[in-house]
Coordinates of all heavy atoms in Angstrom, one line a residue:
M1 N 116.1 83.3 128.4 CA 115.4 84.6 128.6 C 116.0 85.6 127.6 O 117.2 85.7 127.5 CB 115.5 85.1 130.0 CG 114.8 86.3 130.3 SD 114.7 86.6 132.0 CE 114.8 88.3 132.1
I2 N 115.2 86.4 127.0 CA 115.6 87.4 126.0 C 115.8 88.7 126.7 O 114.8 89.2 127.4 CB 114.7 87.5 124.8 CG1 114.5 86.2 124.1 CG2 115.1 88.6 123.9 CD1 113.5 86.2 123.1
T3 N 116.9 89.4 126.6 CA 117.1 90.7 127.2 C 117.2 91.7 126.0 O 118.0 91.5 125.1 CB 118.3 90.7 128.1 OG1 119.5 90.3 127.3 CG2 118.2 89.8 129.3
T4 N 116.6 92.8 126.2 CA 116.6 93.8 125.2 C 116.4 95.2 125.8 O 115.8 95.3 126.9 CB 115.6 93.6 124.0 OG1 115.8 94.7 123.1 CG2 114.2 93.6 124.6
T5 N 116.9 96.2 125.2 CA 116.7 97.6 125.8 C 115.5 98.2 125.3 O 115.0 99.2 125.8 CB 117.9 98.4 125.5 OG1 118.1 98.5 124.0 CG2 119.2 97.9 126.1
C6 N 114.9 97.7 124.2 CA 113.7 98.3 123.6 C 112.7 97.2 123.4 O 112.9 96.2 122.7 CB 114.1 98.9 122.3 SG 112.7 99.7 121.5
I7 N 111.5 97.4 123.9 CA 110.4 96.4 123.8 C 109.9 96.3 122.4 O 109.5 95.3 121.9 CB 109.2 96.8 124.7 CG1 109.7 96.7 126.2 CG2 108.0 96.0 124.5 CD1 108.7 97.2 127.2
A8 N 110.0 97.4 121.6 CA 109.6 97.4 120.2 C 110.4 96.4 119.4 O 109.9 95.9 118.4 CB 109.7 98.8 119.6
E9 N 111.6 96.1 119.8 CA 112.4 95.2 119.0 C 111.8 93.8 119.1 O 112.0 93.0 118.2 CB 113.9 95.2 119.5 CG 114.6 96.4 119.2 CD 114.9 96.5 117.7 OE1 115.2 95.5 117.0 OE2 114.8 97.6 117.2
L10 N 111.1 93.4 120.2 CA 110.6 92.1 120.3 C 109.3 91.9 119.4 O 109.1 90.8 119.0 CB 110.1 91.9 121.8 CG 111.3 91.9 122.8 CD1 110.7 91.8 124.2 CD2 112.2 90.7 122.5
T11 N 108.6 93.0 119.2 CA 107.4 92.9 118.3 C 107.6 93.3 116.9 O 106.6 93.4 116.1 CB 106.3 93.7 119.0 OG1 106.7 95.1 119.0 CG2 105.9 93.2 120.4
K12 N 108.8 93.7 116.6 CA 109.1 94.2 115.2 C 108.9 93.1 114.2 O 109.3 91.9 114.4 CB 110.5 94.7 115.2 CG 110.9 95.4 113.9 CD 112.2 96.0 114.1 CE 112.6 96.8 112.8 NZ 114.0 97.3 112.9
K13 N 108.2 93.4 113.1 CA 108.0 92.4 112.0 C 109.1 92.6 111.0 O 109.6 93.6 110.7 CB 106.6 92.7 111.4 CG 105.5 92.5 112.4 CD 104.2 92.3 111.7 CE 103.1 92.2 112.7 NZ 102.5 91.0 112.7
T14 N 109.3 91.4 110.3 CA 110.3 91.4 109.2 C 109.8 92.2 108.0 O 108.7 92.0 107.6 CB 110.6 90.0 108.8 OG1 111.0 89.2 109.9 CG2 111.6 89.9 107.7
K15 N 110.6 93.1 107.5 CA 110.2 93.9 106.4 C 111.3 93.9 105.3 O 112.5 93.8 105.6 CB 110.0 95.4 106.8 CG 108.8 95.5 107.7 CD 108.3 96.9 107.7 CE 107.0 97.0 108.4 NZ 106.3 98.2 108.2
I16 N 110.8 93.8 104.0 CA 111.7 93.9 102.9 C 111.3 95.1 102.1 O 110.1 95.2 101.6 CB 111.5 92.6 102.0 CG1 111.7 91.3 102.9 CG2 112.4 92.6 100.8 CD1 111.2 90.1 102.3
K17 N 112.2 96.0 101.9 CA 111.9 97.3 101.2 C 110.7 98.0 101.8 O 109.9 98.5 101.0 CB 111.8 97.0 99.7 CG 113.0 96.5 99.0 CD 113.9 97.6 98.7 CE 115.1 97.0 97.9 NZ 116.0 98.0 97.6
G18 N 110.5 97.9 103.1 CA 109.4 98.6 103.7 C 108.1 97.9 103.8 O 107.1 98.4 104.4
L19 N 108.0 96.7 103.2 CA 106.7 95.9 103.3 C 107.0 94.5 103.9 O 108.1 94.0 103.7 CB 106.1 95.8 101.9 CG 105.6 97.0 101.2 CD1 105.2 96.7 99.8 CD2 104.6 97.7 101.9
T20 N 105.9 94.0 104.5 CA 106.0 92.6 105.0 C 106.0 91.6 103.9 O 105.5 91.9 102.8 CB 104.9 92.4 106.0 OG1 103.7 92.5 105.3 CG2 104.9 93.3 107.2
P21 N 106.5 90.4 104.1 CA 106.5 89.4 103.1 C 105.0 89.1 102.6 O 104.8 88.8 101.4 CB 107.1 88.2 103.7 CG 108.0 88.7 104.8 CD 107.3 90.0 105.3
K22 N 104.0 89.2 103.4 CA 102.7 89.0 103.0 C 102.2 90.0 102.0 O 101.6 89.7 101.0 CB 101.7 89.0 104.2 CG 100.3 88.5 103.9 CD 99.5 88.6 105.2 CE 99.8 87.5 106.2 NZ 98.9 87.4 107.3
S23 N 102.6 91.3 102.1 CA 102.3 92.3 101.2 C 103.0 92.1 99.8 O 102.4 92.2 98.8 CB 102.7 93.7 101.7 OG 102.0 94.0 102.8
W24 N 104.2 91.7 99.9 CA 105.0 91.4 98.7 C 104.3 90.2 97.9 O 104.2 90.2 96.7 CB 106.4 91.1 99.0 CG 107.2 92.3 99.2 CD1 107.8 92.7 100.3 CD2 107.5 93.3 98.2 NE1 108.5 93.9 100.1 CE2 108.3 94.3 98.8 CE3 107.2 93.4 96.8 CZ2 108.8 95.4 98.1 CZ3 107.7 94.6 96.2 CH2 108.4 95.5 96.8
F25 N 103.9 89.2 98.7 CA 103.2 88.0 98.0 C 102.0 88.5 97.3 O 101.7 88.1 96.2 CB 102.9 87.0 99.1 CG 102.2 85.8 98.6 CD1 103.0 84.9 97.8 CD2 100.9 85.5 98.8 CE1 102.3 83.7 97.3 CE2 100.3 84.4 98.3 CZ 101.0 83.5 97.5
I26 N 101.2 89.3 98.0 CA 99.9 89.8 97.4 C 100.2 90.7 96.1 O 99.6 90.5 95.1 CB 99.1 90.6 98.4 CG1 98.6 89.7 99.5 CG2 97.9 91.4 97.7 CD1 98.0 90.5 100.6
I27 N 101.3 91.5 96.2 CA 101.6 92.3 95.0 C 102.1 91.5 93.9 O 101.7 91.7 92.7 CB 102.7 93.4 95.5 CG1 102.1 94.4 96.4 CG2 103.3 94.0 94.2 CD1 103.1 95.4 97.0
I28 N 102.9 90.5 94.2 CA 103.4 89.6 93.1 C 102.3 88.8 92.4 O 102.2 88.7 91.2 CB 104.5 88.7 93.6 CG1 105.8 89.5 94.0 CG2 104.9 87.6 92.7 CD1 106.8 88.8 94.8
I29 N 101.4 88.3 93.2 CA 100.3 87.5 92.7 C 99.4 88.4 91.8 O 99.0 88.1 90.7 CB 99.5 86.8 93.8 CG1 100.4 85.7 94.5 CG2 98.2 86.2 93.3 CD1 100.8 84.6 93.6
A30 N 99.1 89.6 92.4 CA 98.2 90.5 91.7 C 98.9 91.0 90.4 O 98.2 91.2 89.3 CB 97.8 91.7 92.5
G31 N 100.2 91.2 90.4 CA 100.9 91.7 89.2 C 100.9 90.6 88.2 O 100.8 90.8 87.0
F32 N 101.1 89.3 88.6 CA 101.1 88.2 87.7 C 99.8 88.0 87.0 O 99.7 87.8 85.8 CB 101.5 86.9 88.4 CG 101.7 85.7 87.5 CD1 102.8 85.6 86.7 CD2 100.7 84.7 87.5 CE1 102.9 84.5 85.8 CE2 100.8 83.6 86.7 CZ 101.9 83.5 85.9
I33 N 98.7 88.1 87.8 CA 97.3 88.0 87.3 C 97.0 89.2 86.3 O 96.5 89.0 85.2 CB 96.3 87.9 88.4 CG1 96.5 86.5 89.1 CG2 94.9 88.0 87.9 CD1 95.7 86.4 90.4
S34 N 97.4 90.4 86.7 CA 97.1 91.5 85.9 C 97.9 91.5 84.6 O 97.5 92.2 83.6 CB 97.3 92.8 86.7 OG 98.7 93.0 87.0
W35 N 99.0 90.8 84.6 CA 99.8 90.7 83.4 C 99.0 90.1 82.3 O 99.1 90.5 81.1 CB 101.1 90.0 83.6 CG 101.9 89.8 82.4 CD1 102.0 88.7 81.6 CD2 102.8 90.7 81.8 NE1 102.9 88.9 80.6 CE2 103.4 90.2 80.7 CE3 103.1 92.1 82.1 CZ2 104.3 90.8 79.9 CZ3 104.0 92.7 81.3 CH2 104.6 92.1 80.2
F36 N 98.2 89.1 82.6 CA 97.5 88.4 81.6 C 96.2 89.1 81.2 O 95.7 89.0 80.1 CB 97.1 87.0 82.1 CG 98.3 86.1 82.1 CD1 98.8 85.7 83.4 CD2 99.0 85.6 81.0 CE1 100.0 84.9 83.5 CE2 100.1 84.9 81.1 CZ 100.6 84.5 82.3
I37 N 95.6 89.9 82.2 CA 94.4 90.6 82.0 C 94.6 92.0 81.4 O 94.0 92.3 80.4 CB 93.6 90.7 83.3 CG1 93.2 89.3 83.8 CG2 92.3 91.5 83.1 CD1 92.6 89.2 85.2
L38 N 95.5 92.7 81.9 CA 95.7 94.1 81.5 C 97.0 94.4 80.7 O 97.2 95.5 80.2 CB 95.7 95.0 82.8 CG 94.5 94.9 83.7 CD1 94.7 95.7 85.0 CD2 93.3 95.5 83.0
F39 N 97.8 93.4 80.7 CA 99.1 93.4 79.9 C 99.9 94.6 80.2 O 100.8 94.6 81.1 CB 98.9 93.2 78.4 CG 100.1 92.8 77.7 CD1 100.8 91.6 78.0 CD2 100.6 93.6 76.7 CE1 101.9 91.2 77.3 CE2 101.8 93.2 76.1 CZ 102.4 92.1 76.4
F40 N 99.8 95.7 79.5 CA 100.7 96.9 79.6 C 100.4 97.7 80.9 O 101.2 98.4 81.4 CB 100.5 97.8 78.5 CG 101.1 97.3 77.2 CD1 100.3 97.0 76.1 CD2 102.5 97.0 77.1 CE1 100.8 96.4 75.0 CE2 103.0 96.4 76.0 CZ 102.2 96.2 74.9
Y41 N 99.2 97.5 81.5 CA 98.9 98.3 82.7 C 99.2 97.5 84.0 O 99.0 98.0 85.1 CB 97.4 98.6 82.7 CG 97.0 99.5 81.6 CD1 96.2 99.0 80.5 CD2 97.4 100.8 81.5 CE1 95.9 99.8 79.4 CE2 97.0 101.6 80.5 CZ 96.3 101.1 79.4 OH 95.9 101.9 78.4
S42 N 99.8 96.3 83.8 CA 100.2 95.6 85.0 C 101.2 96.3 85.9 O 101.2 96.2 87.1 CB 100.6 94.2 84.6 OG 101.8 94.2 83.9
L43 N 102.1 97.0 85.3 CA 103.1 97.7 86.0 C 102.4 98.8 86.9 O 102.8 99.0 88.0 CB 104.2 98.3 85.1 CG 105.3 99.0 85.8 CD1 106.1 98.0 86.7 CD2 106.3 99.6 84.8
A44 N 101.5 99.5 86.3 CA 100.7 100.5 87.0 C 100.0 99.9 88.2 O 99.9 100.5 89.3 CB 99.8 101.2 86.1
V45 N 99.4 98.7 88.0 CA 98.7 98.0 89.1 C 99.6 97.7 90.2 O 99.3 97.9 91.4 CB 98.0 96.7 88.5 CG1 97.5 95.9 89.7 CG2 96.9 97.1 87.6
V46 N 100.8 97.2 89.9 CA 101.8 96.9 90.9 C 102.3 98.1 91.7 O 102.4 98.1 92.9 CB 103.0 96.2 90.3 CG1 104.2 96.0 91.3 CG2 102.6 94.8 89.8
V47 N 102.5 99.2 91.0 CA 102.9 100.5 91.6 C 101.8 101.0 92.6 O 102.1 101.4 93.7 CB 103.3 101.5 90.6 CG1 103.5 102.9 91.2 CG2 104.5 101.1 89.8
I48 N 100.6 100.9 92.1 CA 99.4 101.4 92.9 C 99.3 100.5 94.2 O 99.1 101.0 95.3 CB 98.1 101.4 92.1 CG1 98.2 102.6 91.1 CG2 96.9 101.6 93.0 CD1 97.1 102.5 90.0
L49 N 99.4 99.2 94.0 CA 99.3 98.3 95.2 C 100.5 98.6 96.1 O 100.3 98.5 97.4 CB 99.3 96.9 94.7 CG 98.0 96.3 94.1 CD1 98.2 94.9 93.6 CD2 96.9 96.4 95.1
Y50 N 101.7 98.8 95.6 CA 102.8 99.1 96.5 C 102.6 100.3 97.3 O 102.8 100.4 98.5 CB 104.1 99.2 95.6 CG 105.3 99.5 96.5 CD1 105.9 98.5 97.2 CD2 105.8 100.8 96.6 CE1 107.0 98.7 98.0 CE2 106.9 101.0 97.4 CZ 107.5 100.0 98.1 OH 108.6 100.2 98.8
A51 N 102.0 101.4 96.7 CA 101.7 102.6 97.4 C 100.7 102.4 98.4 O 100.8 102.9 99.6 CB 101.3 103.7 96.4
I52 N 99.6 101.7 98.1 CA 98.5 101.4 99.1 C 99.0 100.6 100.3 O 98.8 101.0 101.4 CB 97.3 100.7 98.4 CG1 96.6 101.6 97.4 CG2 96.4 100.1 99.4 CD1 95.6 101.0 96.5
F53 N 99.8 99.5 100.0 CA 100.3 98.7 101.1 C 101.3 99.5 101.9 O 101.4 99.3 103.1 CB 100.9 97.4 100.6 CG 99.9 96.4 100.1 CD1 100.1 95.7 99.0 CD2 98.8 96.2 100.9 CE1 99.1 94.8 98.6 CE2 97.9 95.2 100.5 CZ 98.0 94.5 99.4
S54 N 102.1 100.4 101.3 CA 103.1 101.2 102.1 C 102.4 102.1 103.0 O 102.8 102.3 104.2 CB 104.0 102.0 101.1 OG 104.7 101.1 100.3
I55 N 101.3 102.7 102.5 CA 100.5 103.7 103.4 C 99.9 102.9 104.5 O 99.9 103.3 105.7 CB 99.5 104.4 102.6 CG1 100.2 105.4 101.6 CG2 98.5 105.2 103.5 CD1 99.3 106.0 100.6
L56 N 99.2 101.8 104.2 CA 98.6 101.0 105.2 C 99.5 100.5 106.3 O 99.2 100.5 107.5 CB 97.8 99.8 104.6 CG 96.5 100.1 103.8 CD1 96.0 98.9 103.2 CD2 95.5 100.7 104.7
E57 N 100.7 100.0 105.9 CA 101.7 99.5 106.8 C 102.4 100.6 107.6 O 102.9 100.4 108.7 CB 102.7 98.5 106.2 CG 102.0 97.2 105.8 CD 103.0 96.2 105.3 OE1 104.2 96.4 105.5 OE2 102.5 95.2 104.8
F58 N 102.4 101.8 107.0 CA 103.0 102.9 107.7 C 102.1 103.3 108.9 O 102.5 103.6 110.0 CB 103.2 104.1 106.8 CG 103.7 105.3 107.5 CD1 105.0 105.4 107.9 CD2 102.8 106.4 107.8 CE1 105.4 106.6 108.6 CE2 103.2 107.5 108.4 CZ 104.5 107.6 108.8
L59 N 100.8 103.2 108.6 CA 99.8 103.6 109.7 C 99.7 102.5 110.7 O 99.6 102.8 111.9 CB 98.4 103.8 109.0 CG 98.4 105.0 108.1 CD1 97.0 105.0 107.4 CD2 98.7 106.3 108.8
D60 N 99.8 101.2 110.4 CA 99.7 100.1 111.3 C 100.3 98.9 110.8 O 99.9 98.4 109.7 CB 98.2 99.9 111.7 CG 98.1 99.0 112.9 OD1 99.1 98.6 113.4 OD2 96.9 98.7 113.2
E61 N 101.3 98.4 111.5 CA 102.0 97.1 111.0 C 101.1 95.9 111.0 O 101.3 95.0 110.3 CB 103.2 96.9 111.9 CG 104.4 97.7 111.5 CD 105.6 97.3 112.3 OE1 105.5 96.6 113.3 OE2 106.7 97.7 111.9
D62 N 100.1 95.9 111.9 CA 99.3 94.7 112.1 C 98.0 94.8 111.3 O 97.0 94.3 111.7 CB 98.9 94.5 113.6 CG 100.2 94.3 114.4 OD1 101.1 93.7 113.9 OD2 100.2 94.8 115.6
I63 N 98.1 95.5 110.1 CA 96.9 95.7 109.3 C 96.2 94.4 108.9 O 95.0 94.3 108.8 CB 97.2 96.6 108.1 CG1 95.9 97.2 107.5 CG2 98.0 95.9 107.1 CD1 95.2 98.2 108.3
Y64 N 97.0 93.4 108.6 CA 96.4 92.1 108.2 C 95.6 91.4 109.3 O 94.6 90.8 109.1 CB 97.4 91.2 107.6 CG 98.1 91.8 106.4 CD1 99.4 92.2 106.4 CD2 97.4 92.0 105.2 CE1 100.0 92.8 105.3 CE2 98.0 92.6 104.1 CZ 99.3 93.0 104.2 OH 99.8 93.6 103.1
E65 N 96.1 91.5 110.5 CA 95.4 90.9 111.7 C 94.1 91.7 112.0 O 93.1 91.1 112.3 CB 96.3 90.9 112.9 CG 97.4 89.9 112.9 CD 98.6 90.3 112.0 OE1 98.8 91.5 111.7 OE2 99.4 89.4 111.6
I66 N 94.2 93.0 111.8 CA 93.0 93.8 112.0 C 91.9 93.5 111.0 O 90.7 93.2 111.3 CB 93.3 95.3 112.0 CG1 94.2 95.6 113.2 CG2 92.1 96.1 112.0 CD1 94.8 97.0 113.1
I67 N 92.3 93.4 109.7 CA 91.3 93.1 108.7 C 90.8 91.6 108.8 O 89.6 91.4 108.7 CB 92.0 93.3 107.3 CG1 92.2 94.8 107.0 CG2 91.1 92.7 106.2 CD1 93.1 95.0 105.8
G68 N 91.7 90.7 109.2 CA 91.3 89.3 109.4 C 90.4 89.1 110.5 O 89.5 88.3 110.5
S69 N 90.5 89.9 111.6 CA 89.6 89.8 112.7 C 88.2 90.2 112.4 O 87.3 89.8 113.1 CB 90.2 90.6 113.9 OG 90.1 92.0 113.7
K70 N 88.1 91.1 111.4 CA 86.7 91.5 111.0 C 85.9 90.4 110.4 O 84.7 90.4 110.4 CB 86.8 92.7 110.1 CG 87.4 93.9 110.7 CD 86.5 94.6 111.7 CE 87.2 95.8 112.2 NZ 86.4 96.4 113.3
F71 N 86.6 89.5 109.8 CA 86.0 88.4 109.0 C 85.8 87.1 109.8 O 85.1 86.2 109.4 CB 86.7 88.1 107.8 CG 86.7 89.2 106.8 CD1 87.9 89.9 106.5 CD2 85.6 89.5 106.1 CE1 87.9 90.9 105.6 CE2 85.6 90.6 105.2 CZ 86.7 91.3 105.0
K72 N 86.3 87.1 111.0 CA 86.2 85.9 111.9 C 84.8 85.9 112.6 O 84.4 87.0 113.0 CB 87.3 85.8 112.9 CG 88.6 85.5 112.3 CD 89.7 85.3 113.3 CE 91.0 85.0 112.6 NZ 92.1 85.0 113.6
I73 N 84.3 84.7 112.8 CA 83.0 84.6 113.5 C 83.4 84.4 115.0 O 84.2 83.5 115.3 CB 82.2 83.5 113.0 CG1 81.8 83.7 111.5 CG2 80.9 83.2 113.8 CD1 81.1 82.6 110.9
S74 N 82.8 85.1 115.9 CA 83.1 85.0 117.3 C 82.5 83.7 117.8 O 81.6 83.1 117.2 CB 82.7 86.1 118.1 OG 81.3 86.2 118.0
A75 N 83.0 83.2 118.9 CA 82.5 81.9 119.5 C 81.1 82.0 120.0 O 80.4 81.0 120.1 CB 83.5 81.5 120.6
N76 N 80.6 83.2 120.3 CA 79.3 83.2 120.9 C 78.2 83.5 119.8 O 77.0 83.6 120.1 CB 79.2 84.3 122.0 CG 79.5 85.7 121.4 OD1 79.9 85.8 120.3 ND2 79.5 86.7 122.3
K77 N 78.6 83.5 118.6 CA 77.6 83.7 117.5 C 77.5 82.3 116.7 O 78.5 81.8 116.3 CB 78.0 84.8 116.5 CG 78.0 86.1 117.1 CD 78.3 87.2 116.0 CE 78.3 88.6 116.6 NZ 78.7 89.6 115.6
F78 N 76.3 81.9 116.5 CA 76.1 80.6 115.8 C 75.2 80.9 114.6 O 74.2 81.6 114.7 CB 75.4 79.6 116.7 CG 76.3 79.2 117.9 CD1 76.1 79.8 119.2 CD2 77.3 78.3 117.8 CE1 76.9 79.5 120.2 CE2 78.2 78.0 118.8 CZ 77.9 78.6 120.1
Y79 N 75.6 80.3 113.5 CA 74.8 80.4 112.3 C 74.3 79.0 111.9 O 75.1 78.1 111.8 CB 75.6 81.1 111.2 CG 75.9 82.5 111.5 CD1 77.2 82.8 112.1 CD2 75.0 83.6 111.4 CE1 77.6 84.1 112.4 CE2 75.4 84.9 111.7 CZ 76.7 85.1 112.2 OH 77.0 86.4 112.5
A80 N 73.0 78.9 111.5 CA 72.5 77.6 111.1 C 72.1 77.6 109.7 O 71.8 78.6 109.1 CB 71.4 77.2 112.0

């Protein structure tokens, strides 16, 4: 049994420099792709993505689960 004085500690997500590993993965992949397409502007793309993800995760840590739930098909809907 886990004992803690703060419930928030149990649901706390791992963060690296303020972002979750999933955000860092998206930023690195987007930066790598933009390096070949935009070359000199890839750094600006990475900075903009970092700012956007920082704001989104500041507002809600579970932003990826919320966005992902919008794209899932519920069990009572059938498409043929």
Side-chain angles (χ1 to χ4, degrees):
M1 183 167 147
I2 300 172
T3 58
T4 182
T5 58
C6 182
I7 295 174
E9 289 293 322
L10 295 174
T11 60
K12 190 175 181 182
K13 297 199 182 245
T14 304
K15 292 202 173 193
I16 305 165
K17 297 279 186 182
L19 295 177
T20 59
K22 191 180 287 187
S23 294
W24 280 112
F25 180 72
I26 293 170
I27 290 173
I28 290 169
I29 294 298
F32 184 73
I33 291 170
S34 67
W35 177 260
F36 292 108
I37 297 171
L38 303 171
F39 197 61
F40 291 115
Y41 297 108
S42 65
L43 185 59
V45 169
V46 169
V47 170
I48 290 169
L49 284 175
Y50 181 79
I52 290 170
F53 285 135
S54 295
I55 292 169
L56 287 175
E57 288 190 12
F58 176 75
L59 296 175
D60 191 1
E61 282 187 341
D62 299 326
I63 193 70
Y64 299 110
E65 286 79 16
I66 294 168
I67 292 171
S69 69
K70 297 288 182 185
F71 294 110
K72 290 183 181 174
I73 297 173
S74 64
N76 58 0
K77 291 183 182 177
F78 297 101
Y79 297 98

